[in-house]
Amino acid sequence: MATETPTLESLQASLDAQQAIFNMHQAMNVEVFYWWCTAIMVMIHAGFLAYEMGASRSKNALAAGVKNILALAVIIPTFYLFGWWIYNAFPGGLMPVEASAALPWAQSMGPDVQDMGTGIFWAAFALFGATTGSIMSGAVIERIRVSAFLILTVILGSGVWILAGAWGWHPDGWMLTEMGYHDVGASGVVHAIAGFFTLGVLINLGPRVGKFINGVPQQIRAHNLPMTLIGLMMIIFGFFGFLGGCIIFNGGDTGWTTIYNNPTNLSAFAFNTLMGFAGGVIGCYIATRDPFWTMSGGLVGIISVAAGLDLYDPGLAFIIATCVSFIAVGAAKLLEKKGIDDAVGAVAVHGVTGVVAVILVGVFAGGTPNVGGNPAISLYGQTICAIIMAVLGFVPGYTVSYLLKKFNMLRVPENVEVLGLDEVEILAHPYPETVPAKSGTTTNVGDLEAKGA
Amino acid sequence: MGTSITSWENVSAYFTFADNPLALMLFSLGVAGIVVGLIRFIMKHEAEAFDNHK
């Protein structure tokens, strides 16, 4: 049987064909990775849904749930309209650069045979934005108007956080290029921003009726604590999608990098995510012995090490998470003493922990070089950027909620709050075959003190 | 009627109206309108519900 002798040209053609197949599969792998990260991130919202409904009194359970579902539904289209453009247009600060390809009428913002990246990254970022909305959502339950909440959540989830993302979570962001900012797992750009935005809102929103009597904090009990705990564990599951979405799956022979283009890998993330989770649970359990806070400790732990997830020794990550848990619990107690009614501790768990996490990268990983001529990580740079994150979150949250309050658009009337939002707004009952629960105001000591914290 | 391609040869963006920026802007306005409309709808519902429970 005669065989053709391969020529140089035929070998080259075969090699080119193989390379094209390899490149296509690599691009598909990137898509597949971020597709599943995004899908897993949806679990964060399922978790927030369960946890907020459980944390509410039964008279407000469905209202809390509907509010949370709508937050996801408004952040996705508004992130399509302007969130993705903000990320691409503002890495240099407040002056936009050319980013017309990220506008909603650009050809790149839709199905494109040649573009296997934009849609999948947009989706992941939209879900990051939705997470910020959900962080705020739990803190304001049982008294905020849904309309006001949706206005605030659009500003936070499709505006404020992504501006912070452009500054500190973009390969050309000024915080990286000027300050060497390091926040791979979004402790600052997502959690600190959302937490301090929420603080601004809570100041104007005020506490729930019955939360403070003569200035003394009362315990308002969750109507379904087990559902809240399961919801929190679902958020932890979703965190693996969230953190997976924080790493860059590169083509070619580069492999994994951080969003700052520094080398890393999923193994690094795996070590420190789990060690952070465990440390946080243990820390919050010791600090409170309270089931809600024990489970919230998992969030505190992961957020506390997320900024340096690629750099920490796992043992150090565990110790950081344990120690930061005490700071988070202390911050929650302090806020309550100051008259802030944060129904789920979001400001402490996300805001305070996020800021501390960013600073701790400067403490423990200062001097670590960045690639591309960017400055090395420093305590100075991390501290300045952490302060900027807190302020960038707080100011718009406070300002917009202040305006809503001035126009009487922020809070439901007191009689509605007493009656229950489900009865008035939702026209449905979460447990129609049971006797409606009464207001959970029972004791005259603060939540945490009552639980032995 | 909205297709932007006549063949799959050398295609890049192929979604409906991809070759018509004006239409895409109108759709974007529609998206914004629905979000704003939702919030207005909820405000109206809240006002009515609160009035009914005064």
Side-chain angles (χ1 to χ4, degrees):
Chain A
M1 195 170 80
T3 55
E4 276 189 32
T5 307
T7 64
L8 201 57
E9 288 75 19
S10 69
L11 285 171
Q12 184 63 51
S14 174
L15 195 61
D16 289 347
Q18 293 296 320
Q19 184 65 46
I21 292 168
F22 176 80
N23 290 343
M24 173 55 75
H25 278 265
Q26 194 171 50
M28 289 164 66
N29 280 337
V30 171
E31 280 197 305
V32 167
F33 175 73
Y34 289 108
W35 171 273
W36 289 114
C37 284
T38 305
I40 294 168
M41 269 195 276
V42 175
M43 187 60 86
I44 291 177
H45 301 282
F48 272 116
L49 182 65
Y51 136 91
E52 283 179 37
M53 288 195 296
S56 302
R57 285 162 291 185
S58 63
K59 64 179 182 176
N60 299 316
L62 291 177
V66 169
K67 174 169 66 63
N68 192 283
I69 295 164
L70 287 173
L72 192 55
V74 297
I75 286 175
I76 290 169
T78 53
F79 197 84
Y80 181 79
L81 289 175
F82 51 83
W84 189 238
W85 176 76
I86 290 172
Y87 179 68
N88 286 278
F90 290 95
L94 292 172
M95 293 300 292
V97 297
E98 206 288 317
S100 56
L103 288 167
W105 46 83
Q107 287 202 335
S108 57
M109 291 298 282
D112 186 332
V113 176
Q114 306 294 332
D115 185 349
M116 298 174 76
T118 301
I120 212 74
F121 280 110
W122 167 81
F125 275 68
L127 267 289
F128 292 139
T131 301
T132 63
S134 283
I135 289 168
M136 173 176 62
S137 181
V140 298
I141 52 172
E142 304 197 298
R143 76 280 206 199
I144 199 167
R145 291 187 188 222
V146 176
S147 53
F149 170 74
L150 292 181
I151 292 168
L152 289 162
T153 205
V154 165
I155 291 167
L156 171 60
S158 295
V160 178
W161 97 266
I162 196 62
L163 179 62
W167 291 358
W169 217 42
H170 187 294
D172 299 323
W174 73 265
M175 284 185 169
L176 171 66
T177 59
E178 303 292 325
M179 314 287 283
Y181 182 63
H182 195 86
D183 183 16
V184 291
S187 298
V189 302
V190 167
H191 298 282
I193 288 284
F196 279 89
F197 187 99
T198 301
L199 177 61
V201 174
L202 287 172
I203 290 170
N204 288 310
L205 183 63
R208 289 168 287 179
V209 170
K211 174 63 186 174
F212 295 96
I213 297 177
N214 298 324
V216 180
Q218 310 293 303
Q219 184 186 2
I220 296 179
R221 288 181 179 149
H223 94 278
N224 192 334
L225 195 53
M227 184 160 74
T228 298
L229 300 186
I230 291 168
L232 282 162
M233 190 59 94
M234 289 160 75
I235 296 171
I236 298 294
F237 177 83
F239 244 112
F240 283 84
F242 182 104
L243 295 172
C246 294
I247 199 168
I248 304 298
F249 187 145
N250 294 282
D253 60 357
T254 306
W256 302 105
T257 63
T258 68
I259 206 153
Y260 309 117
N261 289 327
N262 300 336
T264 190
N265 50 49
L266 282 172
S267 282
F269 278 38
F271 273 129
N272 289 328
T273 302
L274 287 176
M275 291 295 269
F277 166 77
V281 168
I282 291 170
C284 278
Y285 175 77
I286 294 170
T288 67
R289 296 183 300 285
D290 169 61
F292 177 81
W293 270 96
T294 300
M295 193 59 244
S296 292
L299 288 180
V300 172
I302 293 175
I303 296 165
S304 72
V305 298
L309 210 56
D310 57 326
L311 299 175
Y312 289 140
D313 163 67
L316 176 61
F318 182 83
I319 293 166
I320 287 173
T322 306
C323 294
V324 173
S325 296
F326 287 87
I327 296 173
V329 171
K333 290 168 73 172
L334 181 64
L335 286 167
E336 194 174 53
K337 279 184 182 162
K338 295 290 180 189
I340 302 292
D341 178 14
D342 180 349
V344 295
V347 176
V349 169
H350 297 273
V352 173
T353 303
V355 164
V356 171
V358 168
I359 294 170
L360 288 179
V361 173
V363 173
F364 293 112
T368 305
N370 278 303
V371 299
N374 294 316
I377 298 168
S378 69
L379 178 57
Y380 173 77
Q382 293 296 114
T383 305
I384 295 294
C385 291
I387 294 168
I388 291 170
M389 290 294 168
V391 173
L392 181 63
F394 180 82
V395 171
Y398 181 85
T399 306
V400 177
S401 61
Y402 178 80
L403 292 172
L404 289 167
K405 184 182 178 183
K406 280 288 167 198
F407 290 101
N408 197 27
M409 294 166 63
L410 184 61
R411 187 172 176 137
V412 302
E414 187 173 329
N415 68 307
V416 170
E417 192 181 336
V418 172
L419 196 57
L421 301 180
D422 288 3
E423 177 69 27
V424 176
E425 285 191 65
I426 303 298
L427 310 178
H429 298 280
Y431 311 105
E433 294 173 356
T434 60
V435 177
K438 293 184 178 135
S439 169
T441 303
T442 53
T443 58
N444 62 353
V445 288
D447 280 7
L448 294 167
E449 279 86 354
K451 291 162 184 165
Chain B
M1 87 185 206
T3 184
S4 59
I5 60 171
T6 54
S7 154
W8 286 100
E9 294 298 316
N10 300 316
V11 160
S12 185
Y14 64 90
F15 57 94
T16 50
F17 299 99
D19 56 347
N20 187 342
L22 181 63
L24 299 181
M25 285 183 191
L26 288 174
F27 294 144
S28 299
L29 274 176
V31 173
I34 289 170
V35 173
V36 172
L38 167 73
I39 294 172
R40 286 286 305 147
F41 175 80
I42 293 171
M43 284 177 172
K44 187 166 175 284
H45 170 63
E46 285 172 334
E48 289 170 357
F50 297 162
D51 280 347
N52 290 339
H53 289 83
K54 270 185 177 169

